[in-house]
Amino acid sequence: MCGRFGLFTDLSELVEFLGFELKMPGDTYTPRWNIAPTTPVLTITETDGRRVGSMMRWGLIPHWAKLETAFKRPMFNARSETVAERPTFRDSFIARRCLVPANGFFEWRGRGARDKTPIWIHSTKAPVVTFAGIWSVWHSPEGIVESCAILTTSPNALMEPIYDRMPVILDDDWAAIWLDDAADQTVLLEVLKPREWDTMEAQEANPAVGSPKNDGPYLLDSQSKLF
């Protein structure tokens, strides 16, 4: 599962580093250290070879969802092993794939609710990584809602002692394939397989990250105090 992540790099740096154009006004993007489901997240899609960045609701709403159930259970993750088969995600997997940029993500190590320790997992090399995502367009009575989900896979060696799932992280080559409308489904499923990342590291984070109300760089440091 990936239930919290952070993206706090300046927008201008993200545009340069990931090579996308802005669909939305710049002031809709806010650096955040504790991004939780149902909030807007930056996504990158591609049309005719052109990458576009926009904000979408994190929690996919299928295009066929009924009003009374659309917001009941936020589907913020999709399992890569079944994404091509499940009706909730299948259409988006086939036709609406995206990247979700992140500086890193949080996971909780331990079993009991009181014994769990938040862990910050991030790259020691790249300032930003990209997760494989899918998105959808839902027509509500108030207008169009664009929403997304992050693909997860089984853990690699770094994540295995922490949790049994992790987001699918893509390097530049895999990201290009993931966004390619013409990509074969067999190749896309290969993209989603777990991989080792020797540039990733894990460190204990501040327990305050457990509340989505808390936000700031202090959340990345287990020794920081919440003021």
Side-chain angles (χ1 to χ4, degrees):
M1 186 175 73
C2 177
R4 298 289 174 81
F5 70 96
L7 181 61
F8 39 80
T9 297
D10 287 343
L11 184 59
S12 58
E13 293 180 34
L14 289 171
V15 169
E16 181 177 357
F17 185 72
L18 297 174
F20 62 90
E21 304 171 17
L22 290 174
K23 177 181 176 180
M24 73 292 186
D27 60 3
T28 63
Y29 168 82
T30 303
R32 289 180 291 163
W33 287 258
N34 189 11
I35 300 173
T38 74
T39 60
V41 297
L42 178 65
T43 61
I44 299 171
T45 58
E46 184 174 287
T47 304
D48 298 327
R50 196 169 121 259
R51 291 189 178 186
V52 178
S54 59
M55 303 298 289
M56 296 186 189
R57 179 185 188 271
W58 185 22
L60 189 131
I61 303 173
H63 66 86
W64 42 258
K66 296 181 179 179
L67 178 61
E68 58 268 25
T69 59
F71 297 99
K72 260 190 175 178
R73 184 171 168 264
M75 291 176 281
F76 52 91
N77 286 162
R79 294 177 69 92
S80 59
E81 297 88 343
T82 57
V83 68
E85 305 161 7
R86 285 193 61 186
T88 301
F89 305 123
R90 185 175 53 216
D91 290 349
S92 292
F93 169 70
I94 293 171
R96 296 186 187 276
R97 296 181 298 276
C98 65
L99 306 177
V100 181
N103 292 105
F105 64 99
F106 295 96
E107 196 48 81
W108 276 258
R109 181 181 61 201
R111 295 186 178 179
R114 295 185 178 181
D115 299 328
K116 286 188 176 181
T117 301
I119 307 295
W120 170 245
I121 301 100
H122 63 105
S123 173
T124 59
K125 184 177 180 181
V128 179
V129 298
T130 53
F131 302 147
I134 55 176
W135 65 288
S136 182
V137 177
W138 180 66
H139 294 268
S140 77
E142 287 77 34
I144 292 175
V145 177
E146 294 182 336
S147 61
C148 67
I150 292 172
L151 275 291
T152 66
T153 188
S154 53
N156 59 20
L158 174 69
M159 285 298 298
E160 196 166 10
I162 302 171
Y163 197 70
D164 62 0
R165 301 294 294 175
M166 66 178 289
V168 175
I169 301 172
L170 304 177
D171 63 18
D172 290 344
D173 291 338
W174 288 120
I177 294 172
W178 183 247
L179 292 180
D180 184 359
D181 288 339
D184 182 82
Q185 183 169 313
T186 303
V187 177
L188 292 173
L189 292 174
E190 186 69 26
V191 169
L192 299 178
K193 289 184 177 179
R195 292 179 176 80
E196 300 300 329
W197 293 96
D198 56 8
T199 59
M200 302 295 289
E201 71 174 16
Q203 65 186 61
E204 290 192 10
N206 194 313
V209 74
S211 172
K213 295 179 181 178
N214 299 326
D215 198 15
Y218 65 88
L219 295 175
L220 309 186
D221 182 1
S222 64
Q223 304 301 315
S224 294
K225 293 181 179 179
L226 174 61
F227 295 100

